[in-house]
C-alpha cells in the first residue's frame, strides 16, 4: 500500500510538468496523391497549433506550400495544393518546418502513387524530416504504426492518468492484471469498430467522457480507498472495461484524422494497437520501478509515522489534482 502512495506523489510531480490540455497527441497529417498528370497535397494540423505557427513543407530544397491558403475548420487548419511539374517522390526528403517553434507533434505522411501502391511514414516529434523510401512494404507500415501507437499513449495524458488511477485502485496484484486486460480488450474493440466506421460519436463528446472517466475514478479513490468497499474497488475490471470502450474511440479519433493505407489496413490497425499496449506496459513498469526505489529510500530516511502521514497526504493531494485537471478537461471539451 505504501508503494501505491509513493506512486501518487511521483504522479503529482508528473502532472505538474504537463500542460493543462490533453489534445497535443493529435498529429500533423500530410496526404500525398500522385497520378500521371500531377501530385496533390493536403495537410491537416490540429487546433493546438497557433495560426502564426502553421508549418512550411519542403521536398528536398523546394518550398511546396508557399502560395496556398490555409482553411480553418472545427478541429484545426487544412491546406490543399497541387504540383503539375513531375515530382520525384521516392528517395526524396520531405521536411516540415514551424516558423515560430516546434509544437512537439508527430507528423504522419501518407503517400499514394499512380500505380496505387502506398507508403506511410512518421516523422517523430523531435525530428523535422523523413526520407521517402524507394519501396513500400507491409513491414514499414507495421513499424510506423507501432511507433505511432507508442507515441500516442505517451502523449495522451488523459489515458495515462486513467491508467494511474486504475493502479491506485487495483494495487500491484492480480486485480491489476485483470483490470488492465479488461481495459485493453475494451479499447481494442472500439478502436477497430470506430476506425472502420461501424460506430461513430462526436470527438468532443468522446474526449469529454474520457475526462469524466478519470473524474469518476478520482471520486472512488477519495471516498473508498481506505475501506475499499465500493463496487469499483471490489471489481476494478468493471470500470476498466466499461470506460475502456470510450478510450478506444479516443484512440480511433487519431486514426480517423488520417487516411489509413487501404492495402495494409489490418496491419495498420493491429500494430497501432500493439504500440498502444507496449506504451501502457512501459508506463506501468516504469512507475513500479520508480515507486520501488522511492519506497526503499523513504524507508531509510524517515520514521514510520512520518512516512505514513506524508504518503497519505501525498495520495490525497495527487488525486485531488488529477480530479481537478480532468474536470477542467471535461468542461473545456464540451465547450
Amino acid at each position: 500500500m505504501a508503494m501505491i502512495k509513493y506512486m501518487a506523489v511521483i504522479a503529482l510531480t508528473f502532472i505538474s510538468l504537463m500542460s493543462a490540455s490533453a489534445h497535443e497527441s493529435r498529429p500533423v497529417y500530410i496526404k500525398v496523391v500522385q497520378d500521371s498528370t500531377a501530385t496533390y497535397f493536403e495537410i491537416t494540423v490540429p487546433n493546438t497549433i497557433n495560426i502564426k505557427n502553421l508549418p512550411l513543407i519542403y521536398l528536398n530544397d523546394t518550398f511546396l506550400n508557399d502560395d496556398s491558403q490555409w482553411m480553418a475548420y472545427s478541429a484545426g487548419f487544412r491546406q490543399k495544393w497541387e504540383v503539375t511539374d513531375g515530382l520525384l517522390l521516392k528517395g526524396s526528403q520531405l521536411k516540415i518546418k514551424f516558423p515560430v517553434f516546434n509544437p512537439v507533434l508527430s507528423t504522419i505522411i501518407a503517400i499514394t502513387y499512380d500505380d496505387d501502391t502506398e507508403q506511410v511514414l512518421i516523422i517523430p516529434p523531435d525530428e523535422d524530416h523523413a526520407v521517402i523510401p524507394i519501396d513500400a512494404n507491409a513491414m514499414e507500415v507495421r513499424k510506423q504504426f507501432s511507433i505511432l501507437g507508442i507515441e500516442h499513449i505517451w502523449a495522451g495524458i488523459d489515458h495515462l492518468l486513467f491508467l494511474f488511477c486504475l493502479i491506485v485502485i487495483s494495487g500491484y496484484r492480480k486485480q491489476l492484471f485483470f483490470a488492465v486486460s479488461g481495459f485493453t480488450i475494451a479499447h481494442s474493440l472500439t478502436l477497430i469498430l470506430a476506425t472502420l466506421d461501424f460506430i461513430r460519436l462526436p470527438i468532443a463528446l468522446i474526449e469529454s467522457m474520457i475526462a469524466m472517466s478519470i473524474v469518476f475514478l478520482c471520486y472512488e479513490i477519495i471516498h473508498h480507498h481506505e475501506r475499499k468497499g465500493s463496487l469499483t474497488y471490489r471489481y476494478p475490471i468493471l470500470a476498466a472495461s466499461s470506460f475502456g470502450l470510450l478510450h478506444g474511440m479516443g484512440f480511433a479519433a487519431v486514426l480517423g484524422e488520417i487516411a489509413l493505407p487501404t492495402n495494409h489496413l489490418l496491419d495498420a490497425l493491429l500494430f497501432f494497437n500493439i504500440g498502444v499496449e507496449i506504451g501502457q506496459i512501459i508506463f506501468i513498469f516504469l512507475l513500479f520501478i520508480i515507486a520501488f526505489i522511492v519506497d526503499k529510500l523513504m524507508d531509510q530516511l524517515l520514521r514510520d509515522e512520518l512516512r505514513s502521514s506524508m504518503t497519505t497526504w501525498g495520495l490525497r493531494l495527487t488525486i485531488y489534482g488529477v480530479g481537478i485537471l480532468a474536470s477542467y478537461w471535461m468542461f473545456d471539451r464540451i465547450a
Side-chain angles (χ1 to χ4, degrees), residues 109 111 118-122 133 135-149 260-272:
I109 306 163
I111 305 173
E118 298 172 310
Q119 285 182 325
V120 177
L121 306 172
I122 296 175
D135 298 313
N137 56 69
M139 286 303 297
E140 187 66 24
V141 171
R142 294 167 186 167
K143 172 187 172 184
Q144 298 292 351
F145 275 87
S146 296
I147 294 171
L148 180 62
L260 292 173
T262 54
N263 294 340
H264 304 292
L265 179 60
L266 292 179
D267 283 318
L269 274 174
L270 175 61
F271 282 87
F272 176 83

Side-chain angles (χ1 to χ4, degrees), residues 15-299:
I15 295 165
S16 69
L17 298 174
M18 296 175 179
S19 164
S21 171
H23 295 282
E24 282 71 13
S25 57
R26 294 207 302 264
V28 175
Y29 172 56
I30 302 175
K31 179 181 178 181
V32 184
V33 178
Q34 194 172 50
D35 62 24
S36 58
T37 60
T39 303
Y40 304 90
F41 292 84
E42 179 179 333
I43 178 170
T44 304
V45 300
N47 52 17
T48 50
I49 296 181
N50 189 279
I51 192 170
K52 296 180 180 179
N53 197 35
L54 296 175
L56 313 174
I57 309 301
Y58 294 83
L59 186 69
N60 295 327
D61 295 324
T62 303
F63 187 16
L64 294 178
N65 62 332
D66 53 338
D67 296 326
S68 303
Q69 296 296 316
W70 286 94
M71 299 172 290
Y73 74 111
S74 58
F77 302 93
R78 183 175 288 126
Q79 187 184 49
K80 298 181 180 180
W81 73 93
E82 65 180 76
V83 179
T84 54
D85 297 337
L87 288 180
L88 183 61
L89 294 176
K90 294 182 178 181
S92 298
Q93 182 185 90
L94 191 68
K95 189 168 187 177
I96 181 168
K97 288 186 177 181
F98 294 91
V100 183
F101 67 94
N102 186 350
V104 196
L105 296 176
S106 295
T107 300
I108 300 174
I109 306 163
I111 305 173
T112 303
Y113 296 101
D114 53 5
D115 60 357
D116 289 333
T117 58
E118 298 172 310
Q119 285 182 325
V120 177
L121 306 172
I122 296 175
I123 302 177
D126 57 344
E127 297 182 15
D128 64 359
H129 70 277
V131 176
I132 301 171
I134 300 297
D135 298 313
N137 56 69
M139 286 303 297
E140 187 66 24
V141 171
R142 294 167 186 167
K143 172 187 172 184
Q144 298 292 351
F145 275 87
S146 296
I147 294 171
L148 180 62
I150 294 171
E151 288 182 351
H152 177 68
I153 191 67
W154 276 89
I157 300 169
D158 43 7
H159 302 301
L160 293 181
L161 290 182
F162 183 84
L163 273 176
F164 166 72
C165 290
L166 273 184
I167 295 170
V168 173
I169 290 172
S170 302
Y172 272 100
R173 48 202 173 104
K174 186 168 64 174
Q175 277 195 326
L176 178 61
F177 171 79
F178 289 119
V180 173
S181 297
F183 180 65
T184 297
I185 293 170
H187 76 61
S188 298
L189 176 63
T190 48
L191 167 63
I192 294 171
L193 292 177
T195 303
L196 297 178
D197 270 341
F198 286 104
I199 54 176
R200 180 176 290 274
L201 288 174
I203 293 177
L205 176 62
I206 294 168
E207 291 184 337
S208 178
M209 293 176 73
I210 288 173
M212 182 193 68
S213 71
I214 303 171
V215 174
F216 173 80
L217 292 188
C218 288
Y219 174 87
E220 289 290 301
I221 294 169
I222 291 296
H223 291 276
H224 301 289
H225 187 68
E226 296 302 324
R227 296 184 179 179
K228 298 178 174 53
S230 71
L231 186 64
T232 301
Y233 268 89
R234 293 200 304 271
Y235 305 104
I237 189 174
L238 295 179
S241 54
S242 300
F243 288 123
L245 297 173
L246 290 173
H247 285 252
M249 287 188 279
F251 294 142
V254 174
L255 296 182
E257 294 186 358
I258 68 177
L260 292 173
T262 54
N263 294 340
H264 304 292
L265 179 60
L266 292 179
D267 283 318
L269 274 174
L270 175 61
F271 282 87
F272 176 83
N273 202 50
I274 288 173
V276 168
E277 305 320 317
I278 292 172
Q280 284 183 178
I281 292 170
I282 293 172
F283 174 72
I284 294 171
F285 181 73
L286 287 179
L287 203 57
F288 173 77
I289 293 297
I290 295 171
F292 179 80
I293 294 172
V294 173
D295 183 33
K296 295 301 180 184
L297 289 175
M298 295 283 279
D299 188 45

